[in-house]
PDB file of all heavy atoms in Angstrom:
ATOM      1  N   GLY R   1       5.958  -7.629   7.224  1.00  0.00           N
ATOM      2  CA  GLY R   1       5.369  -6.305   7.226  1.00  0.00           C
ATOM      3  C   GLY R   1       6.285  -5.178   6.816  1.00  0.00           C
ATOM      4  O   GLY R   1       5.896  -4.005   6.900  1.00  0.00           O
ATOM      5  N   SER R   2       7.488  -5.492   6.365  1.00  0.00           N
ATOM      6  CA  SER R   2       8.399  -4.458   5.889  1.00  0.00           C
ATOM      7  C   SER R   2       8.018  -4.057   4.472  1.00  0.00           C
ATOM      8  O   SER R   2       7.929  -4.904   3.583  1.00  0.00           O
ATOM      9  CB  SER R   2       9.841  -4.957   5.929  1.00  0.00           C
ATOM     10  OG  SER R   2      10.731  -3.973   5.454  1.00  0.00           O
ATOM     11  N   ALA R   3       7.804  -2.762   4.255  1.00  0.00           N
ATOM     12  CA  ALA R   3       7.290  -2.275   2.988  1.00  0.00           C
ATOM     13  C   ALA R   3       8.246  -1.295   2.330  1.00  0.00           C
ATOM     14  O   ALA R   3       9.021  -0.608   3.002  1.00  0.00           O
ATOM     15  CB  ALA R   3       5.937  -1.592   3.191  1.00  0.00           C
ATOM     16  N   ASN R   4       8.196  -1.248   1.008  1.00  0.00           N
ATOM     17  CA  ASN R   4       8.862  -0.188   0.271  1.00  0.00           C
ATOM     18  C   ASN R   4       7.960   0.272  -0.861  1.00  0.00           C
ATOM     19  O   ASN R   4       7.037  -0.434  -1.280  1.00  0.00           O
ATOM     20  CB  ASN R   4      10.247  -0.598  -0.225  1.00  0.00           C
ATOM     21  CG  ASN R   4      10.247  -1.862  -1.072  1.00  0.00           C
ATOM     22  OD1 ASN R   4       9.278  -2.188  -1.749  1.00  0.00           O
ATOM     23  ND2 ASN R   4      11.368  -2.576  -1.040  1.00  0.00           N
ATOM     24  N   TYR R   5       8.245   1.482  -1.352  1.00  0.00           N
ATOM     25  CA  TYR R   5       7.358   2.146  -2.292  1.00  0.00           C
ATOM     26  C   TYR R   5       8.144   2.809  -3.398  1.00  0.00           C
ATOM     27  O   TYR R   5       9.288   3.232  -3.202  1.00  0.00           O
ATOM     28  CB  TYR R   5       6.525   3.226  -1.594  1.00  0.00           C
ATOM     29  CG  TYR R   5       5.651   2.723  -0.480  1.00  0.00           C
ATOM     30  CD1 TYR R   5       6.125   2.637   0.825  1.00  0.00           C
ATOM     31  CD2 TYR R   5       4.337   2.346  -0.737  1.00  0.00           C
ATOM     32  CE1 TYR R   5       5.324   2.177   1.844  1.00  0.00           C
ATOM     33  CE2 TYR R   5       3.523   1.883   0.285  1.00  0.00           C
ATOM     34  CZ  TYR R   5       4.020   1.803   1.568  1.00  0.00           C
ATOM     35  OH  TYR R   5       3.209   1.346   2.580  1.00  0.00           O
ATOM     36  N   ALA R   6       7.509   2.926  -4.539  1.00  0.00           N
ATOM     37  CA  ALA R   6       8.032   3.786  -5.575  1.00  0.00           C
ATOM     38  C   ALA R   6       7.967   5.233  -5.106  1.00  0.00           C
ATOM     39  O   ALA R   6       7.122   5.598  -4.284  1.00  0.00           O
ATOM     40  CB  ALA R   6       7.225   3.621  -6.864  1.00  0.00           C
ATOM     41  N   ASP R   7       8.866   6.066  -5.621  1.00  0.00           N
ATOM     42  CA  ASP R   7       8.880   7.462  -5.212  1.00  0.00           C
ATOM     43  C   ASP R   7       7.533   8.137  -5.451  1.00  0.00           C
ATOM     44  O   ASP R   7       7.099   8.975  -4.656  1.00  0.00           O
ATOM     45  CB  ASP R   7       9.981   8.221  -5.950  1.00  0.00           C
ATOM     46  CG  ASP R   7      11.371   7.853  -5.472  1.00  0.00           C
ATOM     47  OD1 ASP R   7      11.498   7.316  -4.354  1.00  0.00           O
ATOM     48  OD2 ASP R   7      12.335   8.114  -6.219  1.00  0.00           O
ATOM     49  N   SER R   8       6.871   7.781  -6.526  1.00  0.00           N
ATOM     50  CA  SER R   8       5.594   8.388  -6.856  1.00  0.00           C
ATOM     51  C   SER R   8       4.486   8.012  -5.878  1.00  0.00           C
ATOM     52  O   SER R   8       3.467   8.700  -5.805  1.00  0.00           O
ATOM     53  CB  SER R   8       5.170   7.996  -8.274  1.00  0.00           C
ATOM     54  OG  SER R   8       5.020   6.589  -8.386  1.00  0.00           O
ATOM     55  N   ALA R   9       4.686   6.930  -5.132  1.00  0.00           N
ATOM     56  CA  ALA R   9       3.669   6.453  -4.206  1.00  0.00           C
ATOM     57  C   ALA R   9       3.922   6.858  -2.767  1.00  0.00           C
ATOM     58  O   ALA R   9       2.995   6.835  -1.951  1.00  0.00           O
ATOM     59  CB  ALA R   9       3.564   4.931  -4.292  1.00  0.00           C
ATOM     60  N   LYS R  10       5.134   7.213  -2.446  1.00  0.00           N
ATOM     61  CA  LYS R  10       5.488   7.534  -1.073  1.00  0.00           C
ATOM     62  C   LYS R  10       4.647   8.692  -0.542  1.00  0.00           C
ATOM     63  O   LYS R  10       4.489   9.708  -1.198  1.00  0.00           O
ATOM     64  CB  LYS R  10       6.973   7.883  -0.973  1.00  0.00           C
ATOM     65  CG  LYS R  10       7.904   6.708  -1.201  1.00  0.00           C
ATOM     66  CD  LYS R  10       9.363   7.134  -1.118  1.00  0.00           C
ATOM     67  CE  LYS R  10      10.286   5.958  -1.360  1.00  0.00           C
ATOM     68  NZ  LYS R  10      11.718   6.360  -1.350  1.00  0.00           N
ATOM     69  N   GLY R  11       4.120   8.493   0.653  1.00  0.00           N
ATOM     70  CA  GLY R  11       3.314   9.523   1.280  1.00  0.00           C
ATOM     71  C   GLY R  11       1.858   9.512   0.884  1.00  0.00           C
ATOM     72  O   GLY R  11       1.044  10.185   1.523  1.00  0.00           O
ATOM     73  N   ARG R  12       1.514   8.776  -0.162  1.00  0.00           N
ATOM     74  CA  ARG R  12       0.130   8.715  -0.628  1.00  0.00           C
ATOM     75  C   ARG R  12      -0.459   7.315  -0.554  1.00  0.00           C
ATOM     76  O   ARG R  12      -1.648   7.159  -0.291  1.00  0.00           O
ATOM     77  CB  ARG R  12       0.018   9.232  -2.063  1.00  0.00           C
ATOM     78  CG  ARG R  12       0.434  10.682  -2.248  1.00  0.00           C
ATOM     79  CD  ARG R  12       0.098  11.169  -3.651  1.00  0.00           C
ATOM     80  NE  ARG R  12       0.796  10.393  -4.676  1.00  0.00           N
ATOM     81  CZ  ARG R  12       0.193   9.754  -5.678  1.00  0.00           C
ATOM     82  NH1 ARG R  12      -1.129   9.800  -5.792  1.00  0.00           N
ATOM     83  NH2 ARG R  12       0.899   9.082  -6.566  1.00  0.00           N
ATOM     84  N   PHE R  13       0.363   6.312  -0.811  1.00  0.00           N
ATOM     85  CA  PHE R  13      -0.104   4.929  -0.843  1.00  0.00           C
ATOM     86  C   PHE R  13       0.412   4.174   0.372  1.00  0.00           C
ATOM     87  O   PHE R  13       1.518   4.437   0.863  1.00  0.00           O
ATOM     88  CB  PHE R  13       0.386   4.214  -2.102  1.00  0.00           C
ATOM     89  CG  PHE R  13      -0.168   4.739  -3.396  1.00  0.00           C
ATOM     90  CD1 PHE R  13      -1.020   5.825  -3.436  1.00  0.00           C
ATOM     91  CD2 PHE R  13       0.183   4.128  -4.590  1.00  0.00           C
ATOM     92  CE1 PHE R  13      -1.521   6.307  -4.633  1.00  0.00           C
ATOM     93  CE2 PHE R  13      -0.316   4.590  -5.795  1.00  0.00           C
ATOM     94  CZ  PHE R  13      -1.165   5.682  -5.818  1.00  0.00           C
ATOM     95  N   THR R  14      -0.371   3.223   0.827  1.00  0.00           N
ATOM     96  CA  THR R  14       0.022   2.356   1.922  1.00  0.00           C
ATOM     97  C   THR R  14      -0.290   0.914   1.565  1.00  0.00           C
ATOM     98  O   THR R  14      -1.433   0.585   1.241  1.00  0.00           O
ATOM     99  CB  THR R  14      -0.693   2.725   3.226  1.00  0.00           C
ATOM    100  OG1 THR R  14      -0.423   4.088   3.568  1.00  0.00           O
ATOM    101  CG2 THR R  14      -0.212   1.825   4.362  1.00  0.00           C
ATOM    102  N   ILE R  15       0.724   0.070   1.616  1.00  0.00           N
ATOM    103  CA  ILE R  15       0.524  -1.345   1.372  1.00  0.00           C
ATOM    104  C   ILE R  15       0.449  -2.072   2.707  1.00  0.00           C
ATOM    105  O   ILE R  15       1.164  -1.736   3.655  1.00  0.00           O
ATOM    106  CB  ILE R  15       1.645  -1.920   0.478  1.00  0.00           C
ATOM    107  CG1 ILE R  15       1.314  -3.354   0.044  1.00  0.00           C
ATOM    108  CG2 ILE R  15       2.998  -1.846   1.158  1.00  0.00           C
ATOM    109  CD1 ILE R  15       2.259  -3.889  -1.028  1.00  0.00           C
ATOM    110  N   SER R  16      -0.424  -3.041   2.790  1.00  0.00           N
ATOM    111  CA  SER R  16      -0.574  -3.837   3.995  1.00  0.00           C
ATOM    112  C   SER R  16      -0.990  -5.245   3.599  1.00  0.00           C
ATOM    113  O   SER R  16      -1.322  -5.508   2.437  1.00  0.00           O
ATOM    114  CB  SER R  16      -1.601  -3.208   4.950  1.00  0.00           C
ATOM    115  OG  SER R  16      -2.876  -3.136   4.338  1.00  0.00           O
ATOM    116  N   ARG R  17      -0.984  -6.146   4.561  1.00  0.00           N
ATOM    117  CA  ARG R  17      -1.369  -7.514   4.255  1.00  0.00           C
ATOM    118  C   ARG R  17      -1.956  -8.200   5.476  1.00  0.00           C
ATOM    119  O   ARG R  17      -1.680  -7.828   6.618  1.00  0.00           O
ATOM    120  CB  ARG R  17      -0.176  -8.321   3.719  1.00  0.00           C
ATOM    121  CG  ARG R  17       0.975  -8.470   4.700  1.00  0.00           C
ATOM    122  CD  ARG R  17       2.198  -9.074   4.004  1.00  0.00           C
ATOM    123  NE  ARG R  17       2.022 -10.487   3.702  1.00  0.00           N
ATOM    124  CZ  ARG R  17       2.833 -11.201   2.919  1.00  0.00           C
ATOM    125  NH1 ARG R  17       3.870 -10.608   2.328  1.00  0.00           N
ATOM    126  NH2 ARG R  17       2.610 -12.490   2.713  1.00  0.00           N
ATOM    127  N   ASP R  18      -2.763  -9.190   5.194  1.00  0.00           N
ATOM    128  CA  ASP R  18      -3.344 -10.052   6.207  1.00  0.00           C
ATOM    129  C   ASP R  18      -2.845 -11.455   5.895  1.00  0.00           C
ATOM    130  O   ASP R  18      -3.344 -12.112   4.982  1.00  0.00           O
ATOM    131  CB  ASP R  18      -4.868  -9.984   6.179  1.00  0.00           C
ATOM    132  CG  ASP R  18      -5.518 -10.769   7.294  1.00  0.00           C
ATOM    133  OD1 ASP R  18      -4.892 -11.710   7.826  1.00  0.00           O
ATOM    134  OD2 ASP R  18      -6.673 -10.454   7.644  1.00  0.00           O
ATOM    135  N   ASN R  19      -1.855 -11.899   6.628  1.00  0.00           N
ATOM    136  CA  ASN R  19      -1.235 -13.182   6.329  1.00  0.00           C
ATOM    137  C   ASN R  19      -2.198 -14.355   6.511  1.00  0.00           C
ATOM    138  O   ASN R  19      -2.112 -15.351   5.801  1.00  0.00           O
ATOM    139  CB  ASN R  19       0.001 -13.382   7.195  1.00  0.00           C
ATOM    140  CG  ASN R  19       1.138 -12.452   6.820  1.00  0.00           C
ATOM    141  OD1 ASN R  19       1.210 -11.962   5.687  1.00  0.00           O
ATOM    142  ND2 ASN R  19       2.037 -12.202   7.755  1.00  0.00           N
ATOM    143  N   ALA R  20      -3.104 -14.238   7.471  1.00  0.00           N
ATOM    144  CA  ALA R  20      -4.065 -15.305   7.706  1.00  0.00           C
ATOM    145  C   ALA R  20      -5.002 -15.495   6.526  1.00  0.00           C
ATOM    146  O   ALA R  20      -5.515 -16.591   6.296  1.00  0.00           O
ATOM    147  CB  ALA R  20      -4.867 -15.031   8.976  1.00  0.00           C
ATOM    148  N   LYS R  21      -5.241 -14.426   5.772  1.00  0.00           N
ATOM    149  CA  LYS R  21      -6.130 -14.479   4.616  1.00  0.00           C
ATOM    150  C   LYS R  21      -5.381 -14.505   3.290  1.00  0.00           C
ATOM    151  O   LYS R  21      -6.016 -14.503   2.233  1.00  0.00           O
ATOM    152  CB  LYS R  21      -7.086 -13.286   4.632  1.00  0.00           C
ATOM    153  CG  LYS R  21      -8.008 -13.248   5.834  1.00  0.00           C
ATOM    154  CD  LYS R  21      -8.922 -12.038   5.782  1.00  0.00           C
ATOM    155  CE  LYS R  21      -9.858 -12.007   6.968  1.00  0.00           C
ATOM    156  NZ  LYS R  21     -10.756 -10.823   6.938  1.00  0.00           N
ATOM    157  N   ASN R  22      -4.055 -14.519   3.338  1.00  0.00           N
ATOM    158  CA  ASN R  22      -3.233 -14.458   2.126  1.00  0.00           C
ATOM    159  C   ASN R  22      -3.662 -13.308   1.222  1.00  0.00           C
ATOM    160  O   ASN R  22      -3.785 -13.462   0.001  1.00  0.00           O
ATOM    161  CB  ASN R  22      -3.292 -15.788   1.366  1.00  0.00           C
ATOM    162  CG  ASN R  22      -2.602 -16.912   2.108  1.00  0.00           C
ATOM    163  OD1 ASN R  22      -1.607 -16.701   2.794  1.00  0.00           O
ATOM    164  ND2 ASN R  22      -3.127 -18.123   1.967  1.00  0.00           N
ATOM    165  N   THR R  23      -3.868 -12.161   1.826  1.00  0.00           N
ATOM    166  CA  THR R  23      -4.404 -11.012   1.122  1.00  0.00           C
ATOM    167  C   THR R  23      -3.501  -9.799   1.312  1.00  0.00           C
ATOM    168  O   THR R  23      -3.004  -9.554   2.412  1.00  0.00           O
ATOM    169  CB  THR R  23      -5.818 -10.685   1.615  1.00  0.00           C
ATOM    170  OG1 THR R  23      -6.676 -11.803   1.370  1.00  0.00           O
ATOM    171  CG2 THR R  23      -6.380  -9.468   0.894  1.00  0.00           C
ATOM    172  N   VAL R  24      -3.311  -9.059   0.234  1.00  0.00           N
ATOM    173  CA  VAL R  24      -2.552  -7.825   0.271  1.00  0.00           C
ATOM    174  C   VAL R  24      -3.463  -6.687  -0.169  1.00  0.00           C
ATOM    175  O   VAL R  24      -4.338  -6.871  -1.027  1.00  0.00           O
ATOM    176  CB  VAL R  24      -1.290  -7.904  -0.614  1.00  0.00           C
ATOM    177  CG1 VAL R  24      -1.651  -8.085  -2.081  1.00  0.00           C
ATOM    178  CG2 VAL R  24      -0.415  -6.673  -0.422  1.00  0.00           C
ATOM    179  N   TYR R  25      -3.254  -5.519   0.417  1.00  0.00           N
ATOM    180  CA  TYR R  25      -4.070  -4.350   0.141  1.00  0.00           C
ATOM    181  C   TYR R  25      -3.179  -3.198  -0.298  1.00  0.00           C
ATOM    182  O   TYR R  25      -2.008  -3.112   0.076  1.00  0.00           O
ATOM    183  CB  TYR R  25      -4.861  -3.918   1.378  1.00  0.00           C
ATOM    184  CG  TYR R  25      -5.671  -5.013   2.016  1.00  0.00           C
ATOM    185  CD1 TYR R  25      -5.143  -5.790   3.042  1.00  0.00           C
ATOM    186  CD2 TYR R  25      -6.969  -5.268   1.595  1.00  0.00           C
ATOM    187  CE1 TYR R  25      -5.886  -6.789   3.636  1.00  0.00           C
ATOM    188  CE2 TYR R  25      -7.720  -6.270   2.185  1.00  0.00           C
ATOM    189  CZ  TYR R  25      -7.175  -7.027   3.205  1.00  0.00           C
ATOM    190  OH  TYR R  25      -7.919  -8.026   3.789  1.00  0.00           O
ATOM    191  N   LEU R  26      -3.754  -2.314  -1.060  1.00  0.00           N
ATOM    192  CA  LEU R  26      -3.094  -1.068  -1.412  1.00  0.00           C
ATOM    193  C   LEU R  26      -4.088   0.065  -1.218  1.00  0.00           C
ATOM    194  O   LEU R  26      -5.040   0.195  -1.989  1.00  0.00           O
ATOM    195  CB  LEU R  26      -2.579  -1.083  -2.853  1.00  0.00           C
ATOM    196  CG  LEU R  26      -1.767   0.143  -3.264  1.00  0.00           C
ATOM    197  CD1 LEU R  26      -0.445   0.192  -2.493  1.00  0.00           C
ATOM    198  CD2 LEU R  26      -1.504   0.151  -4.768  1.00  0.00           C
ATOM    199  N   GLN R  27      -3.867   0.846  -0.178  1.00  0.00           N
ATOM    200  CA  GLN R  27      -4.675   2.029   0.071  1.00  0.00           C
ATOM    201  C   GLN R  27      -4.058   3.191  -0.685  1.00  0.00           C
ATOM    202  O   GLN R  27      -2.905   3.548  -0.447  1.00  0.00           O
ATOM    203  CB  GLN R  27      -4.740   2.341   1.564  1.00  0.00           C
ATOM    204  CG  GLN R  27      -5.529   3.594   1.913  1.00  0.00           C
ATOM    205  CD  GLN R  27      -7.002   3.457   1.622  1.00  0.00           C
ATOM    206  OE1 GLN R  27      -7.609   2.443   1.961  1.00  0.00           O
ATOM    207  NE2 GLN R  27      -7.580   4.464   0.979  1.00  0.00           N
ATOM    208  N   MET R  28      -4.817   3.775  -1.581  1.00  0.00           N
ATOM    209  CA  MET R  28      -4.332   4.849  -2.421  1.00  0.00           C
ATOM    210  C   MET R  28      -5.107   6.115  -2.103  1.00  0.00           C
ATOM    211  O   MET R  28      -6.325   6.170  -2.293  1.00  0.00           O
ATOM    212  CB  MET R  28      -4.478   4.492  -3.902  1.00  0.00           C
ATOM    213  CG  MET R  28      -3.766   3.199  -4.292  1.00  0.00           C
ATOM    214  SD  MET R  28      -3.821   2.872  -6.069  1.00  0.00           S
ATOM    215  CE  MET R  28      -5.582   2.592  -6.273  1.00  0.00           C
ATOM    216  N   ASN R  29      -4.396   7.122  -1.631  1.00  0.00           N
ATOM    217  CA  ASN R  29      -4.986   8.402  -1.272  1.00  0.00           C
ATOM    218  C   ASN R  29      -4.424   9.502  -2.150  1.00  0.00           C
ATOM    219  O   ASN R  29      -3.344   9.371  -2.724  1.00  0.00           O
ATOM    220  CB  ASN R  29      -4.721   8.725   0.193  1.00  0.00           C
ATOM    221  CG  ASN R  29      -5.317   7.717   1.147  1.00  0.00           C
ATOM    222  OD1 ASN R  29      -6.401   7.196   0.914  1.00  0.00           O
ATOM    223  ND2 ASN R  29      -4.616   7.456   2.246  1.00  0.00           N
ATOM    224  N   ARG R  30      -5.161  10.605  -2.217  1.00  0.00           N
ATOM    225  CA  ARG R  30      -4.753  11.769  -2.996  1.00  0.00           C
ATOM    226  C   ARG R  30      -4.329  11.359  -4.403  1.00  0.00           C
ATOM    227  O   ARG R  30      -3.258  11.729  -4.885  1.00  0.00           O
ATOM    228  CB  ARG R  30      -3.636  12.534  -2.285  1.00  0.00           C
ATOM    229  CG  ARG R  30      -4.032  13.016  -0.879  1.00  0.00           C
ATOM    230  CD  ARG R  30      -3.021  13.963  -0.272  1.00  0.00           C
ATOM    231  NE  ARG R  30      -1.691  13.392  -0.167  1.00  0.00           N
ATOM    232  CZ  ARG R  30      -1.309  12.559   0.784  1.00  0.00           C
ATOM    233  NH1 ARG R  30      -2.161  12.182   1.728  1.00  0.00           N
ATOM    234  NH2 ARG R  30      -0.061  12.104   0.799  1.00  0.00           N
ATOM    235  N   LEU R  31      -5.197  10.622  -5.040  1.00  0.00           N
ATOM    236  CA  LEU R  31      -4.889  10.084  -6.357  1.00  0.00           C
ATOM    237  C   LEU R  31      -4.750  11.189  -7.390  1.00  0.00           C
ATOM    238  O   LEU R  31      -5.430  12.217  -7.336  1.00  0.00           O
ATOM    239  CB  LEU R  31      -5.967   9.098  -6.786  1.00  0.00           C
ATOM    240  CG  LEU R  31      -5.872   7.724  -6.113  1.00  0.00           C
ATOM    241  CD1 LEU R  31      -7.193   6.982  -6.216  1.00  0.00           C
ATOM    242  CD2 LEU R  31      -4.741   6.917  -6.728  1.00  0.00           C
ATOM    243  N   LYS R  32      -3.860  10.951  -8.333  1.00  0.00           N
ATOM    244  CA  LYS R  32      -3.567  11.885  -9.402  1.00  0.00           C
ATOM    245  C   LYS R  32      -3.878  11.234 -10.744  1.00  0.00           C
ATOM    246  O   LYS R  32      -3.867  10.011 -10.863  1.00  0.00           O
ATOM    247  CB  LYS R  32      -2.087  12.285  -9.368  1.00  0.00           C
ATOM    248  CG  LYS R  32      -1.620  12.870  -8.046  1.00  0.00           C
ATOM    249  CD  LYS R  32      -0.119  13.117  -8.073  1.00  0.00           C
ATOM    250  CE  LYS R  32       0.376  13.685  -6.760  1.00  0.00           C
ATOM    251  NZ  LYS R  32       1.846  13.896  -6.766  1.00  0.00           N
TER     252      LYS R  32
END
């Protein structure tokens, strides 16, 4: 669950994952 981001994504995007489902998500807010 340790995450890092590009500078352009920090504060706007959130990455998460569900290990049981082998799935990763990217929540993108305040899109430009």
Side-chain angles (χ1 to χ4, degrees):
S2 179
N4 55 29
Y5 300 89
D7 288 340
S8 61
K10 291 179 181 177
R12 299 188 299 124
F13 294 2
T14 302
I15 189 170
S16 61
R17 62 190 288 169
D18 185 336
N19 291 336
K21 298 180 179 180
N22 291 326
T23 299
V24 64
Y25 307 92
L26 185 67
Q27 178 67 46
M28 303 185 294
N29 299 323
R30 302 190 302 280
L31 283 161
K32 304 175 181 179

